[in-house]
Amino acid sequence: MRRSTGFSAFSSLLRASLTSAFVLVAVISCSSDNLAPKTDAGLDPSSIHLFSIPDSVKEAYYASVAASPQLLSNAMVGVPARISANSLASGSSCGSSGGAATYTKARVGFALESDPVNAIPLPRDGDDGYIADMPIGFDFNFYGNTYSKLNLYLNGFVTFGTALNKPYWLTGGIPAATDPTNMIALAWNDWNPGKVPGSLRYETRGTAPNRRFLLEFNGVPEALGSGKLTALLVLSEGTNEVTVYTTSFNMTNIAHRMTQGIEDAPGSVAVFDSAMTPAGLVTPRVRGVFTLASDAVRFSPVRTRDEVPPTITAPANLTANNDPGLASAVVTVVAPAASDDCTPVTLTSVRSDGAAIGAPYPVGVTTIAWTAKDDAGNTASATQTVTVLDVEAPVFGLAAQSLLEVNATSPSGATVSFNTSVTDNVRVTALSCEPASGSLFPVGHTTVNCTASDAAGNTAHDSFSVSVIGAHEQLFNLLQYVIGLNLPNGTSQPLVNQLRAAYSQDAYGACNKMGDFVSMVQKKSGNIPNDEKAVMISEASRVMDATGCTSGISSTISTRSLPHF
């Protein structure tokens, strides 16, 4: 689609005058027979596309323009609706990576380079058409996008991206959302480079990273007229600058128009200079009629520093129970959403415990510091907490006694010490038993109740019984021990008699008889093995302690039936 001027009168006149003529237009793709490039051109013949548009069709159109004062005036001075917003747009923050959202323009010194060496072969009818995917020779950034190829249109402009299969001999203003866009207009007009062999040349010069791509229109004539164009387009590596050198440009067809400038891909932003028309009027270089000579204009990308940090959305805090038997939990953590207005962002995370993000999380609160970073080094941060709850109570070990028996060491009982084994998945913070270990337990059965707790407040309970054996029971056990030794009757019987007598006495009498028992053990020691003798004396001494013999306690020991021998 050609670019619309925005004037209904123009559209109506064009349709009325050219309806019959346009049916003659035939778009053809020339074969390699008549477009075979020179061996030094380096162009694929299939990339050259020409259109056969009869001169009569163009003449009818230009005659309609020349016959309309309004349309001719529009062609002369440009379209105000198109140029009113062409002041330099404000810079984006996305220039640090080499791209640019807008350009500055400046007149520069007119200093031409030598002619490019690669001539583009065109047939004599090479009037309207384009050459697709010409190699630039390096990466070139245009309006923030990087390209390694361009499309050359024979009517004085280049585009980036996919070539459009149209002749574009009708010049349009910029900016305009209609095709073509994403373009550099060297001198957009209706030219016929096929009339002058070798009038189109190109070359990539220099060494990286300072190479230059040159594209030259040298003496290219108007399609219908005697005007000519000699101009050079230079694209610079690294700086991504666009420079247009116009040695000479003039148009003789009053209906012809010329556009010179750059335009972005959406067709919403364009940058161009102004020039003097033959009538002495200063007009923008968009759809105006003027003459240029020894003119140079450079479009430089605005490289602003990206100072806008990424955005990052703090992820939801997480809570989980500890894994069974462990002081930790495996928790699936999802990275937060992060974005940047210019470049992709890199997400990193640091845990407060120093572990990897996917490692198990310990009981308690772990803080994750998330950081989003763009290519310019701007950062944004967010924090997330992972709380692992300790839901397991301590566990009492199997070593805890269900029944503990001890002998009394005094009439009051015995001091009893015991060990209580308890573990926890994290740590036991408190353990208590009532009565406590080391307490004086009375003769008889006493229940010990233990409680253990951890830092999370989980508690566990356990209990066991302590049985303290009194003096009377100990004396009975000693009697059974002596009988069971099967000592000679002359030795065993006197000992048994003393113990039986002690068993039936009160505390005072029992103490005397136990004293007599110990004396008799020592007297008959020759008939008693040493080990058994030591046991008898030790047991008798404890019975005496439990009876209170050493303290003079005179309590009555209850009696019970003695065994029959």
PDB file of all heavy atoms in Angstrom, residues 283-316:
ATOM      1  N   THR A 283      11.837  24.315   3.976  1.00  0.00           N
ATOM      2  CA  THR A 283      10.814  23.284   4.162  1.00  0.00           C
ATOM      3  C   THR A 283      11.467  22.029   4.712  1.00  0.00           C
ATOM      4  O   THR A 283      12.627  21.739   4.408  1.00  0.00           O
ATOM      5  CB  THR A 283      10.110  22.959   2.831  1.00  0.00           C
ATOM      6  OG1 THR A 283       9.119  21.954   3.052  1.00  0.00           O
ATOM      7  CG2 THR A 283      11.084  22.461   1.792  1.00  0.00           C
ATOM      8  N   PRO A 284      10.758  21.281   5.518  1.00  0.00           N
ATOM      9  CA  PRO A 284      11.312  19.996   5.975  1.00  0.00           C
ATOM     10  C   PRO A 284      11.570  19.072   4.792  1.00  0.00           C
ATOM     11  O   PRO A 284      10.903  19.174   3.759  1.00  0.00           O
ATOM     12  CB  PRO A 284      10.205  19.444   6.879  1.00  0.00           C
ATOM     13  CG  PRO A 284       9.395  20.627   7.267  1.00  0.00           C
ATOM     14  CD  PRO A 284       9.443  21.568   6.097  1.00  0.00           C
ATOM     15  N   ARG A 285      12.529  18.174   4.972  1.00  0.00           N
ATOM     16  CA  ARG A 285      12.883  17.274   3.876  1.00  0.00           C
ATOM     17  C   ARG A 285      11.923  16.078   3.834  1.00  0.00           C
ATOM     18  O   ARG A 285      12.311  14.927   3.853  1.00  0.00           O
ATOM     19  CB  ARG A 285      14.313  16.780   4.040  1.00  0.00           C
ATOM     20  CG  ARG A 285      15.321  17.915   4.056  1.00  0.00           C
ATOM     21  CD  ARG A 285      16.742  17.387   4.095  1.00  0.00           C
ATOM     22  NE  ARG A 285      17.690  18.475   4.313  1.00  0.00           N
ATOM     23  CZ  ARG A 285      18.999  18.369   4.193  1.00  0.00           C
ATOM     24  NH1 ARG A 285      19.542  17.213   3.853  1.00  0.00           N
ATOM     25  NH2 ARG A 285      19.795  19.390   4.421  1.00  0.00           N
ATOM     26  N   VAL A 286      10.663  16.382   3.812  1.00  0.00           N
ATOM     27  CA  VAL A 286       9.626  15.355   3.691  1.00  0.00           C
ATOM     28  C   VAL A 286       8.599  15.846   2.679  1.00  0.00           C
ATOM     29  O   VAL A 286       7.872  16.795   2.911  1.00  0.00           O
ATOM     30  CB  VAL A 286       8.952  15.047   5.048  1.00  0.00           C
ATOM     31  CG1 VAL A 286       9.842  14.196   5.922  1.00  0.00           C
ATOM     32  CG2 VAL A 286       8.574  16.320   5.771  1.00  0.00           C
ATOM     33  N   ARG A 287       8.601  15.225   1.507  1.00  0.00           N
ATOM     34  CA  ARG A 287       7.629  15.490   0.456  1.00  0.00           C
ATOM     35  C   ARG A 287       7.727  16.919  -0.061  1.00  0.00           C
ATOM     36  O   ARG A 287       6.730  17.529  -0.433  1.00  0.00           O
ATOM     37  CB  ARG A 287       6.217  15.207   0.962  1.00  0.00           C
ATOM     38  CG  ARG A 287       6.052  13.790   1.483  1.00  0.00           C
ATOM     39  CD  ARG A 287       4.625  13.422   1.664  1.00  0.00           C
ATOM     40  NE  ARG A 287       3.955  13.411   0.382  1.00  0.00           N
ATOM     41  CZ  ARG A 287       2.653  13.186   0.207  1.00  0.00           C
ATOM     42  NH1 ARG A 287       1.905  12.977   1.277  1.00  0.00           N
ATOM     43  NH2 ARG A 287       2.130  13.175  -0.980  1.00  0.00           N
ATOM     44  N   GLY A 288       8.910  17.444  -0.067  1.00  0.00           N
ATOM     45  CA  GLY A 288       9.086  18.777  -0.620  1.00  0.00           C
ATOM     46  C   GLY A 288       9.888  18.726  -1.902  1.00  0.00           C
ATOM     47  O   GLY A 288      10.503  17.725  -2.242  1.00  0.00           O
ATOM     48  N   VAL A 289       9.847  19.848  -2.672  1.00  0.00           N
ATOM     49  CA  VAL A 289      10.627  19.959  -3.905  1.00  0.00           C
ATOM     50  C   VAL A 289      11.739  20.963  -3.631  1.00  0.00           C
ATOM     51  O   VAL A 289      11.479  22.117  -3.320  1.00  0.00           O
ATOM     52  CB  VAL A 289       9.754  20.433  -5.083  1.00  0.00           C
ATOM     53  CG1 VAL A 289      10.614  20.587  -6.327  1.00  0.00           C
ATOM     54  CG2 VAL A 289       8.633  19.446  -5.328  1.00  0.00           C
ATOM     55  N   PHE A 290      12.983  20.503  -3.699  1.00  0.00           N
ATOM     56  CA  PHE A 290      14.096  21.409  -3.446  1.00  0.00           C
ATOM     57  C   PHE A 290      15.343  20.837  -4.079  1.00  0.00           C
ATOM     58  O   PHE A 290      15.373  19.706  -4.573  1.00  0.00           O
ATOM     59  CB  PHE A 290      14.310  21.629  -1.947  1.00  0.00           C
ATOM     60  CG  PHE A 290      14.235  20.375  -1.121  1.00  0.00           C
ATOM     61  CD1 PHE A 290      15.320  19.525  -1.012  1.00  0.00           C
ATOM     62  CD2 PHE A 290      13.067  20.035  -0.458  1.00  0.00           C
ATOM     63  CE1 PHE A 290      15.258  18.369  -0.263  1.00  0.00           C
ATOM     64  CE2 PHE A 290      12.992  18.877   0.295  1.00  0.00           C
ATOM     65  CZ  PHE A 290      14.074  18.050   0.395  1.00  0.00           C
ATOM     66  N   THR A 291      16.410  21.649  -4.061  1.00  0.00           N
ATOM     67  CA  THR A 291      17.691  21.252  -4.629  1.00  0.00           C
ATOM     68  C   THR A 291      18.732  21.242  -3.519  1.00  0.00           C
ATOM     69  O   THR A 291      18.781  22.157  -2.697  1.00  0.00           O
ATOM     70  CB  THR A 291      18.119  22.242  -5.728  1.00  0.00           C
ATOM     71  OG1 THR A 291      17.148  22.217  -6.770  1.00  0.00           O
ATOM     72  CG2 THR A 291      19.483  21.859  -6.289  1.00  0.00           C
ATOM     73  N   LEU A 292      19.553  20.154  -3.513  1.00  0.00           N
ATOM     74  CA  LEU A 292      20.617  20.053  -2.530  1.00  0.00           C
ATOM     75  C   LEU A 292      21.946  19.911  -3.241  1.00  0.00           C
ATOM     76  O   LEU A 292      22.029  19.287  -4.305  1.00  0.00           O
ATOM     77  CB  LEU A 292      20.410  18.835  -1.631  1.00  0.00           C
ATOM     78  CG  LEU A 292      19.246  18.866  -0.646  1.00  0.00           C
ATOM     79  CD1 LEU A 292      19.157  17.529   0.084  1.00  0.00           C
ATOM     80  CD2 LEU A 292      19.405  19.995   0.361  1.00  0.00           C
ATOM     81  N   ALA A 293      23.007  20.463  -2.636  1.00  0.00           N
ATOM     82  CA  ALA A 293      24.352  20.316  -3.180  1.00  0.00           C
ATOM     83  C   ALA A 293      25.345  20.396  -2.033  1.00  0.00           C
ATOM     84  O   ALA A 293      25.206  21.245  -1.139  1.00  0.00           O
ATOM     85  CB  ALA A 293      24.648  21.389  -4.220  1.00  0.00           C
ATOM     86  N   SER A 294      26.317  19.469  -2.043  1.00  0.00           N
ATOM     87  CA  SER A 294      27.370  19.433  -1.023  1.00  0.00           C
ATOM     88  C   SER A 294      26.770  19.520   0.383  1.00  0.00           C
ATOM     89  O   SER A 294      27.192  20.319   1.234  1.00  0.00           O
ATOM     90  CB  SER A 294      28.378  20.576  -1.253  1.00  0.00           C
ATOM     91  OG  SER A 294      28.970  20.466  -2.525  1.00  0.00           O
ATOM     92  N   ASP A 295      25.793  18.690   0.604  1.00  0.00           N
ATOM     93  CA  ASP A 295      25.064  18.701   1.873  1.00  0.00           C
ATOM     94  C   ASP A 295      25.354  17.408   2.626  1.00  0.00           C
ATOM     95  O   ASP A 295      25.472  16.334   2.026  1.00  0.00           O
ATOM     96  CB  ASP A 295      23.556  18.822   1.594  1.00  0.00           C
ATOM     97  CG  ASP A 295      22.733  18.778   2.860  1.00  0.00           C
ATOM     98  OD1 ASP A 295      22.535  19.842   3.474  1.00  0.00           O
ATOM     99  OD2 ASP A 295      22.279  17.670   3.245  1.00  0.00           O
ATOM    100  N   ALA A 296      25.494  17.503   3.948  1.00  0.00           N
ATOM    101  CA  ALA A 296      25.717  16.308   4.777  1.00  0.00           C
ATOM    102  C   ALA A 296      24.946  16.454   6.070  1.00  0.00           C
ATOM    103  O   ALA A 296      25.034  17.479   6.750  1.00  0.00           O
ATOM    104  CB  ALA A 296      27.205  16.115   5.053  1.00  0.00           C
ATOM    105  N   VAL A 297      24.186  15.416   6.410  1.00  0.00           N
ATOM    106  CA  VAL A 297      23.428  15.405   7.654  1.00  0.00           C
ATOM    107  C   VAL A 297      23.654  14.047   8.333  1.00  0.00           C
ATOM    108  O   VAL A 297      23.734  13.020   7.655  1.00  0.00           O
ATOM    109  CB  VAL A 297      21.927  15.656   7.398  1.00  0.00           C
ATOM    110  CG1 VAL A 297      21.324  14.579   6.513  1.00  0.00           C
ATOM    111  CG2 VAL A 297      21.164  15.757   8.715  1.00  0.00           C
ATOM    112  N   ARG A 298      23.810  14.096   9.646  1.00  0.00           N
ATOM    113  CA  ARG A 298      24.093  12.871  10.401  1.00  0.00           C
ATOM    114  C   ARG A 298      23.030  12.679  11.491  1.00  0.00           C
ATOM    115  O   ARG A 298      22.666  13.621  12.196  1.00  0.00           O
ATOM    116  CB  ARG A 298      25.474  12.944  11.039  1.00  0.00           C
ATOM    117  CG  ARG A 298      25.834  11.743  11.922  1.00  0.00           C
ATOM    118  CD  ARG A 298      27.308  11.772  12.279  1.00  0.00           C
ATOM    119  NE  ARG A 298      28.126  11.600  11.077  1.00  0.00           N
ATOM    120  CZ  ARG A 298      29.372  12.064  10.943  1.00  0.00           C
ATOM    121  NH1 ARG A 298      29.937  12.739  11.935  1.00  0.00           N
ATOM    122  NH2 ARG A 298      30.048  11.858   9.821  1.00  0.00           N
ATOM    123  N   PHE A 299      22.563  11.450  11.581  1.00  0.00           N
ATOM    124  CA  PHE A 299      21.585  11.066  12.599  1.00  0.00           C
ATOM    125  C   PHE A 299      22.296  10.159  13.607  1.00  0.00           C
ATOM    126  O   PHE A 299      22.762   9.075  13.252  1.00  0.00           O
ATOM    127  CB  PHE A 299      20.400  10.335  11.970  1.00  0.00           C
ATOM    128  CG  PHE A 299      19.725  11.134  10.876  1.00  0.00           C
ATOM    129  CD1 PHE A 299      20.067  10.917   9.545  1.00  0.00           C
ATOM    130  CD2 PHE A 299      18.795  12.097  11.183  1.00  0.00           C
ATOM    131  CE1 PHE A 299      19.461  11.645   8.538  1.00  0.00           C
ATOM    132  CE2 PHE A 299      18.181  12.832  10.180  1.00  0.00           C
ATOM    133  CZ  PHE A 299      18.514  12.614   8.854  1.00  0.00           C
ATOM    134  N   SER A 300      22.408  10.641  14.839  1.00  0.00           N
ATOM    135  CA  SER A 300      23.145   9.918  15.866  1.00  0.00           C
ATOM    136  C   SER A 300      22.177   9.391  16.921  1.00  0.00           C
ATOM    137  O   SER A 300      21.336  10.143  17.429  1.00  0.00           O
ATOM    138  CB  SER A 300      24.173  10.829  16.543  1.00  0.00           C
ATOM    139  OG  SER A 300      25.090  11.331  15.593  1.00  0.00           O
ATOM    140  N   PRO A 301      22.297   8.111  17.267  1.00  0.00           N
ATOM    141  CA  PRO A 301      21.390   7.558  18.287  1.00  0.00           C
ATOM    142  C   PRO A 301      21.657   8.168  19.652  1.00  0.00           C
ATOM    143  O   PRO A 301      22.797   8.423  20.025  1.00  0.00           O
ATOM    144  CB  PRO A 301      21.693   6.059  18.280  1.00  0.00           C
ATOM    145  CG  PRO A 301      23.075   5.956  17.716  1.00  0.00           C
ATOM    146  CD  PRO A 301      23.219   7.084  16.745  1.00  0.00           C
ATOM    147  N   VAL A 302      20.578   8.436  20.351  1.00  0.00           N
ATOM    148  CA  VAL A 302      20.691   8.965  21.705  1.00  0.00           C
ATOM    149  C   VAL A 302      20.948   7.802  22.642  1.00  0.00           C
ATOM    150  O   VAL A 302      20.115   6.907  22.768  1.00  0.00           O
ATOM    151  CB  VAL A 302      19.409   9.705  22.119  1.00  0.00           C
ATOM    152  CG1 VAL A 302      19.505  10.152  23.570  1.00  0.00           C
ATOM    153  CG2 VAL A 302      19.171  10.896  21.200  1.00  0.00           C
ATOM    154  N   ARG A 303      22.101   7.822  23.267  1.00  0.00           N
ATOM    155  CA  ARG A 303      22.436   6.759  24.207  1.00  0.00           C
ATOM    156  C   ARG A 303      22.253   7.287  25.619  1.00  0.00           C
ATOM    157  O   ARG A 303      23.118   7.954  26.158  1.00  0.00           O
ATOM    158  CB  ARG A 303      23.868   6.279  24.002  1.00  0.00           C
ATOM    159  CG  ARG A 303      24.030   5.426  22.759  1.00  0.00           C
ATOM    160  CD  ARG A 303      25.470   5.009  22.584  1.00  0.00           C
ATOM    161  NE  ARG A 303      25.602   4.083  21.483  1.00  0.00           N
ATOM    162  CZ  ARG A 303      25.659   4.442  20.222  1.00  0.00           C
ATOM    163  NH1 ARG A 303      25.591   5.726  19.906  1.00  0.00           N
ATOM    164  NH2 ARG A 303      25.773   3.539  19.260  1.00  0.00           N
ATOM    165  N   THR A 304      21.130   7.011  26.189  1.00  0.00           N
ATOM    166  CA  THR A 304      20.885   7.423  27.563  1.00  0.00           C
ATOM    167  C   THR A 304      21.251   6.288  28.492  1.00  0.00           C
ATOM    168  O   THR A 304      21.187   5.117  28.136  1.00  0.00           O
ATOM    169  CB  THR A 304      19.409   7.785  27.763  1.00  0.00           C
ATOM    170  OG1 THR A 304      18.608   6.666  27.395  1.00  0.00           O
ATOM    171  CG2 THR A 304      19.047   8.971  26.914  1.00  0.00           C
ATOM    172  N   ARG A 305      21.625   6.637  29.678  1.00  0.00           N
ATOM    173  CA  ARG A 305      21.975   5.627  30.667  1.00  0.00           C
ATOM    174  C   ARG A 305      20.700   5.061  31.285  1.00  0.00           C
ATOM    175  O   ARG A 305      19.814   5.801  31.701  1.00  0.00           O
ATOM    176  CB  ARG A 305      22.852   6.247  31.747  1.00  0.00           C
ATOM    177  CG  ARG A 305      23.272   5.241  32.811  1.00  0.00           C
ATOM    178  CD  ARG A 305      24.128   5.898  33.858  1.00  0.00           C
ATOM    179  NE  ARG A 305      24.524   4.936  34.880  1.00  0.00           N
ATOM    180  CZ  ARG A 305      25.223   5.251  35.957  1.00  0.00           C
ATOM    181  NH1 ARG A 305      25.630   6.508  36.122  1.00  0.00           N
ATOM    182  NH2 ARG A 305      25.538   4.343  36.844  1.00  0.00           N
ATOM    183  N   ASP A 306      20.641   3.759  31.317  1.00  0.00           N
ATOM    184  CA  ASP A 306      19.501   3.089  31.932  1.00  0.00           C
ATOM    185  C   ASP A 306      19.645   3.188  33.446  1.00  0.00           C
ATOM    186  O   ASP A 306      20.488   2.541  34.050  1.00  0.00           O
ATOM    187  CB  ASP A 306      19.461   1.620  31.488  1.00  0.00           C
ATOM    188  CG  ASP A 306      18.290   0.865  32.107  1.00  0.00           C
ATOM    189  OD1 ASP A 306      17.472   1.514  32.799  1.00  0.00           O
ATOM    190  OD2 ASP A 306      18.188  -0.352  31.884  1.00  0.00           O
ATOM    191  N   GLU A 307      18.825   4.038  34.055  1.00  0.00           N
ATOM    192  CA  GLU A 307      18.871   4.204  35.499  1.00  0.00           C
ATOM    193  C   GLU A 307      17.587   3.727  36.164  1.00  0.00           C
ATOM    194  O   GLU A 307      17.370   3.972  37.351  1.00  0.00           O
ATOM    195  CB  GLU A 307      19.120   5.676  35.850  1.00  0.00           C
ATOM    196  CG  GLU A 307      20.479   6.184  35.371  1.00  0.00           C
ATOM    197  CD  GLU A 307      20.709   7.637  35.716  1.00  0.00           C
ATOM    198  OE1 GLU A 307      19.707   8.332  35.987  1.00  0.00           O
ATOM    199  OE2 GLU A 307      21.869   8.072  35.717  1.00  0.00           O
ATOM    200  N   VAL A 308      16.750   3.076  35.396  1.00  0.00           N
ATOM    201  CA  VAL A 308      15.487   2.594  35.942  1.00  0.00           C
ATOM    202  C   VAL A 308      15.676   1.154  36.419  1.00  0.00           C
ATOM    203  O   VAL A 308      16.010   0.274  35.629  1.00  0.00           O
ATOM    204  CB  VAL A 308      14.372   2.651  34.888  1.00  0.00           C
ATOM    205  CG1 VAL A 308      13.066   2.113  35.453  1.00  0.00           C
ATOM    206  CG2 VAL A 308      14.198   4.085  34.396  1.00  0.00           C
ATOM    207  N   PRO A 309      15.482   0.916  37.703  1.00  0.00           N
ATOM    208  CA  PRO A 309      15.688  -0.454  38.206  1.00  0.00           C
ATOM    209  C   PRO A 309      14.568  -1.374  37.763  1.00  0.00           C
ATOM    210  O   PRO A 309      13.481  -0.923  37.380  1.00  0.00           O
ATOM    211  CB  PRO A 309      15.689  -0.274  39.729  1.00  0.00           C
ATOM    212  CG  PRO A 309      14.840   0.942  39.950  1.00  0.00           C
ATOM    213  CD  PRO A 309      15.107   1.846  38.780  1.00  0.00           C
ATOM    214  N   PRO A 310      14.809  -2.663  37.804  1.00  0.00           N
ATOM    215  CA  PRO A 310      13.735  -3.612  37.493  1.00  0.00           C
ATOM    216  C   PRO A 310      12.631  -3.529  38.542  1.00  0.00           C
ATOM    217  O   PRO A 310      12.794  -2.915  39.602  1.00  0.00           O
ATOM    218  CB  PRO A 310      14.447  -4.971  37.539  1.00  0.00           C
ATOM    219  CG  PRO A 310      15.912  -4.673  37.491  1.00  0.00           C
ATOM    220  CD  PRO A 310      16.077  -3.323  38.117  1.00  0.00           C
ATOM    221  N   THR A 311      11.525  -4.140  38.218  1.00  0.00           N
ATOM    222  CA  THR A 311      10.466  -4.306  39.210  1.00  0.00           C
ATOM    223  C   THR A 311      10.471  -5.754  39.676  1.00  0.00           C
ATOM    224  O   THR A 311      10.710  -6.666  38.891  1.00  0.00           O
ATOM    225  CB  THR A 311       9.086  -3.957  38.622  1.00  0.00           C
ATOM    226  OG1 THR A 311       8.822  -4.812  37.499  1.00  0.00           O
ATOM    227  CG2 THR A 311       9.045  -2.510  38.162  1.00  0.00           C
ATOM    228  N   ILE A 312      10.227  -5.935  40.951  1.00  0.00           N
ATOM    229  CA  ILE A 312      10.212  -7.288  41.522  1.00  0.00           C
ATOM    230  C   ILE A 312       9.061  -7.357  42.514  1.00  0.00           C
ATOM    231  O   ILE A 312       8.847  -6.434  43.300  1.00  0.00           O
ATOM    232  CB  ILE A 312      11.564  -7.624  42.195  1.00  0.00           C
ATOM    233  CG1 ILE A 312      11.577  -9.068  42.677  1.00  0.00           C
ATOM    234  CG2 ILE A 312      11.904  -6.658  43.301  1.00  0.00           C
ATOM    235  CD1 ILE A 312      12.958  -9.541  43.141  1.00  0.00           C
ATOM    236  N   THR A 313       8.292  -8.393  42.426  1.00  0.00           N
ATOM    237  CA  THR A 313       7.148  -8.590  43.317  1.00  0.00           C
ATOM    238  C   THR A 313       7.549  -9.547  44.435  1.00  0.00           C
ATOM    239  O   THR A 313       7.959 -10.683  44.172  1.00  0.00           O
ATOM    240  CB  THR A 313       5.948  -9.170  42.548  1.00  0.00           C
ATOM    241  OG1 THR A 313       5.619  -8.288  41.470  1.00  0.00           O
ATOM    242  CG2 THR A 313       4.754  -9.340  43.463  1.00  0.00           C
ATOM    243  N   ALA A 314       7.453  -9.055  45.659  1.00  0.00           N
ATOM    244  CA  ALA A 314       7.854  -9.883  46.794  1.00  0.00           C
ATOM    245  C   ALA A 314       6.998 -11.144  46.840  1.00  0.00           C
ATOM    246  O   ALA A 314       5.769 -11.067  46.832  1.00  0.00           O
ATOM    247  CB  ALA A 314       7.703  -9.094  48.097  1.00  0.00           C
ATOM    248  N   PRO A 315       7.630 -12.302  46.879  1.00  0.00           N
ATOM    249  CA  PRO A 315       6.850 -13.543  46.928  1.00  0.00           C
ATOM    250  C   PRO A 315       6.212 -13.737  48.296  1.00  0.00           C
ATOM    251  O   PRO A 315       6.629 -13.146  49.292  1.00  0.00           O
ATOM    252  CB  PRO A 315       7.909 -14.623  46.650  1.00  0.00           C
ATOM    253  CG  PRO A 315       9.186 -14.015  47.117  1.00  0.00           C
ATOM    254  CD  PRO A 315       9.070 -12.535  46.861  1.00  0.00           C
ATOM    255  N   ALA A 316       5.176 -14.571  48.336  1.00  0.00           N
ATOM    256  CA  ALA A 316       4.479 -14.838  49.590  1.00  0.00           C
ATOM    257  C   ALA A 316       5.399 -15.586  50.553  1.00  0.00           C
ATOM    258  O   ALA A 316       6.201 -16.434  50.146  1.00  0.00           O
ATOM    259  CB  ALA A 316       3.220 -15.652  49.326  1.00  0.00           C
TER     260      ALA A 316
END
